[in-house]
Amino acid sequence: MFKKGLPILLASMLVASPAFAAKHDGAKYVQKSQLVVKKEEAKKKQELAKQKKEEAKKKKEQQMLKNKLAELNKKLSKIEVRVNEVTIALEAFSTPKEQPTEQPTQPQSEQTTEETTQVVNEQDSATVTTTEQSPVVQSDEDDEAEKQEELDQWFGKLIAASNQLKAVKNEIRALEKKVSKNDVNVQALKEKVKALEENVQQNKKKLLELL
């Protein structure tokens, strides 16, 4: 009986001893420490992965912004070329045409000959004068109609440029929602649009004066 109970007694005494308890607690502490380290490493890996993802996203957004700015600048450059074409054309219309220079005075002998011929053919001359007036009037009317048609074309180009500027302004507003309104590049675009709008309005006034 005593022999059978001895191992149990010894085991209970071993468990109850301070040395065993300390050794057992130390093992638990090591396990806890290892678990904490693993959790911290996993957390660091997650944070690093998150940081890399955010950096990649930011880089992508910056590239998209750069591409969009380049696209809008290109559109504004094309509009500027068209508006400048209208400005140059209207300036040409506004500039008075040079008057034809007077013919040099003919020698006296030639004048006498012409006067003699004119007296002899007075009736024929009157007939020619009346017949030559009609083509001159018709030519003036044709020039006026051609001028009107050309001015209408320039006015149409100004309307198209104005509509294109409105579309660019809408794109800039959408861009401002993604970046700061004080962004230097965005402000430069807005200033360019404003200058082109003023140019369009000035050209419209000139056109109305010429029409």
Side-chain angles (χ1 to χ4, degrees):
M1 182 77 181
F2 180 73
K3 288 181 179 180
K4 290 181 180 180
L6 184 59
I8 298 172
L9 179 62
L10 290 172
S12 62
M13 289 174 65
L14 183 62
V15 172
S17 68
F20 180 82
K23 186 177 179 181
H24 187 66
D25 290 341
K28 283 186 176 182
Y29 177 78
V30 170
Q31 288 179 351
K32 283 185 178 181
S33 299
Q34 290 175 345
L35 186 61
V36 170
V37 170
K38 286 181 180 180
K39 286 183 177 180
E40 288 179 354
E41 287 178 352
K43 188 177 180 181
K44 285 181 180 179
K45 286 181 180 179
Q46 287 179 352
E47 290 177 353
L48 186 62
K50 185 179 179 182
Q51 185 178 355
K52 286 183 178 179
K53 188 176 180 180
E54 289 177 353
E55 287 176 355
K57 183 181 178 182
K58 189 176 181 180
K59 189 176 181 180
K60 186 178 179 180
E61 288 176 351
Q62 288 176 346
Q63 186 61 42
M64 288 176 64
L65 174 62
K66 185 178 179 180
N67 293 341
K68 191 64 179 178
L69 289 170
E71 179 188 343
L72 292 175
N73 271 307
K74 190 175 181 180
K75 286 182 179 180
L76 288 175
S77 295
K78 288 182 178 180
I79 296 171
E80 187 176 10
V81 169
R82 296 185 187 117
V83 174
N84 287 340
E85 286 178 357
V86 178
T87 302
I88 294 170
L90 294 182
E91 286 177 355
F93 273 111
S94 302
T95 305
K97 296 181 179 179
E98 294 182 0
Q99 297 296 329
T101 56
E102 294 182 359
Q103 295 295 330
T105 306
Q106 295 178 351
Q108 185 67 28
S109 58
E110 292 182 6
Q111 288 182 357
T112 305
T113 305
E114 288 182 0
E115 288 174 0
T116 304
T117 306
Q118 185 175 0
V119 171
V120 173
N121 300 315
E122 184 176 354
Q123 292 181 348
D124 294 338
S125 176
T127 306
V128 171
T129 302
T130 54
T131 56
E132 286 181 352
Q133 285 179 351
S134 179
V136 173
V137 174
Q138 183 65 38
S139 177
D140 290 341
E141 290 178 355
D142 291 342
D143 290 343
E144 189 64 28
E146 185 179 347
K147 176 184 175 182
Q148 183 69 33
E149 184 179 353
E150 193 169 351
L151 288 175
D152 288 342
Q153 289 178 357
W154 292 123
F155 190 76
K157 288 187 177 183
L158 279 180
I159 296 297
S162 181
N163 292 335
Q164 289 167 354
L165 283 173
K166 288 179 182 178
V168 172
K169 283 177 72 174
N170 290 334
E171 290 189 69
I172 292 174
R173 289 193 189 99
L175 192 62
E176 283 180 330
K177 294 178 181 180
K178 298 179 181 179
V179 298
S180 172
K181 288 186 177 181
N182 298 323
D183 185 85
V184 177
N185 295 314
V186 173
Q187 289 298 320
L189 283 174
K190 291 172 74 174
E191 289 296 326
K192 199 169 183 179
V193 169
K194 185 179 178 181
L196 285 171
E197 284 180 331
E198 290 175 357
N199 200 348
V200 168
Q201 291 302 320
Q202 290 173 0
N203 283 329
K204 283 182 179 179
K205 288 179 181 179
K206 286 182 182 178
L207 265 172
L208 291 174
E209 291 172 0
L210 292 168
L211 287 173

